[in-house]
Amino acid sequence: MKVLLVEDEKLIRMFIVEYFSKMKSTVVEATDGYEALSLFDDTIDIVLLDIMMPGIDGYEVCKLLRQKSEVPILFISALSEEENKLKGYELGADDFISKPFTPSLLYAKCVALFKRVKKEDDFMSLNEGIISVDENTHEVMVDHQLIRLSHKEYMLLVYFMKNKRKILSRDQLLDYVWGYDYYGDQRIVDTYVKKLRKKLLGASSYIQTVVKIGYKFDVKE
């Protein structure tokens, strides 16, 4: 893995770099948000992002990165309150670890996230109604128009399409997209479904709300 570490505390950077280097991972260090944005490129596999930093905070960095990339973002922060985590997830973060933490746990989270993103079970095209998805390139077309989805929005759409006409609970969607170790509020599912529907334009009605349960994907001809 090639990791971009964005952290203003030198000691924290040192022990993360030392452990990740032992595990044969490359770490690019940034001490603030502006430096992180200047160092980021397409070779970065994962971004480890502190929240409280001089200049611009981690939330703003995450927002700006999401405008141009679907790279996995893992927040590392002393701000462990649930509302802080929820805000991070709503901005497009993939995971969160609270300080203090062991470098081995952080590395394990990175590996799990890296494998999930890189894993390609089936290389095929999905076509439902006016939506088509190329699983090789992750390109999504709606009525022949290319649309840009975040990584989690893409995962949600593919899961819906592969389980069309099935009622999916919020717990099922949480487990698939956010992982079994996610303990945050289920509202994050509703937030992402709302975002996904908005981006699907004329196909937004394909994702139907099932009251008190979850959602169902169905194409009404």
Side-chain angles (χ1 to χ4, degrees):
M1 294 182 295
K2 184 177 181 181
V3 177
L4 175 59
L5 171 60
V6 192
E7 169 63 63
D8 61 317
E9 295 187 40
K10 184 176 180 179
L11 287 177
I12 294 178
R13 291 201 311 275
M14 286 176 60
F15 85 78
I16 291 175
V17 170
E18 180 180 5
Y19 188 86
F20 275 57
S21 297
K22 288 181 180 178
M23 303 305 291
K24 309 301 181 183
S25 291
T26 301
V27 180
V28 178
E29 298 178 63
T31 59
D32 59 47
Y34 292 114
E35 187 179 12
L37 293 172
S38 68
L39 290 174
F40 179 81
D41 59 31
D42 292 338
T43 66
I44 300 296
D45 295 309
I46 293 178
V47 176
L48 302 180
L49 183 58
D50 190 18
I51 294 178
M52 302 302 293
M53 297 183 295
I56 56 175
D57 63 21
Y59 293 134
E60 185 65 20
V61 174
C62 181
K63 181 179 178 180
L64 292 171
L65 285 177
R66 275 292 168 261
Q67 292 176 3
K68 59 181 180 181
S69 174
E70 298 176 11
V71 65
I73 298 174
L74 190 156
F75 272 121
I76 50 175
S77 178
L79 302 176
S80 59
E81 292 82 1
E82 187 166 306
E83 57 265 31
N84 293 313
K85 293 183 179 181
L86 185 61
K87 182 177 180 179
Y89 286 122
E90 288 175 345
L91 287 172
D94 295 274
D95 205 347
F96 194 106
I97 190 168
S98 299
K99 297 177 181 178
F101 54 83
T102 62
S104 57
L105 177 60
L106 177 62
Y107 183 78
K109 279 181 169 286
C110 288
V111 169
L113 188 56
F114 181 75
K115 287 182 178 179
R116 181 184 300 175
V117 172
K118 294 298 182 183
K119 183 178 181 181
E120 296 176 346
D121 294 322
D122 301 305
F123 300 109
M124 57 182 288
S125 293
L126 297 173
N127 296 280
E128 295 293 341
I130 60 173
I131 302 176
S132 62
V133 177
D134 186 329
E135 290 194 272
N136 285 306
T137 63
H138 286 199
E139 286 188 348
V140 178
M141 306 285 288
V142 176
D143 200 15
H144 306 292
Q145 178 181 344
L146 181 66
I147 63 171
R148 184 175 182 83
L149 301 180
S150 70
H151 176 62
K152 281 186 164 40
E153 290 165 352
Y154 174 83
M155 289 181 69
L156 266 179
L157 178 60
V158 169
Y159 192 59
F160 275 132
M161 293 178 73
K162 288 185 176 180
N163 291 276
K164 60 182 179 181
R165 291 190 288 276
K166 294 180 181 178
I167 296 175
L168 300 172
S169 69
R170 288 177 176 82
D171 282 336
Q172 286 176 291
L173 295 169
L174 274 175
D175 288 345
Y176 180 78
V177 178
W178 282 267
Y180 291 99
D181 60 346
Y182 176 79
Y183 295 106
D185 198 306
Q186 284 188 341
R187 289 178 299 170
I188 193 68
V189 173
D190 299 325
T191 297
Y192 270 79
V193 168
K194 183 179 179 179
K195 289 181 178 180
L196 180 57
R197 278 175 170 160
K198 185 176 181 180
K199 291 183 178 181
L200 289 180
L201 306 173
S204 61
S205 62
Y206 292 1
I207 302 176
Q208 303 164 14
T209 300
V210 180
V211 179
K212 296 183 179 180
I213 301 176
Y215 298 93
K216 180 176 70 171
F217 183 94
D218 197 6
V219 178
K220 297 296 184 180
E221 298 295 344

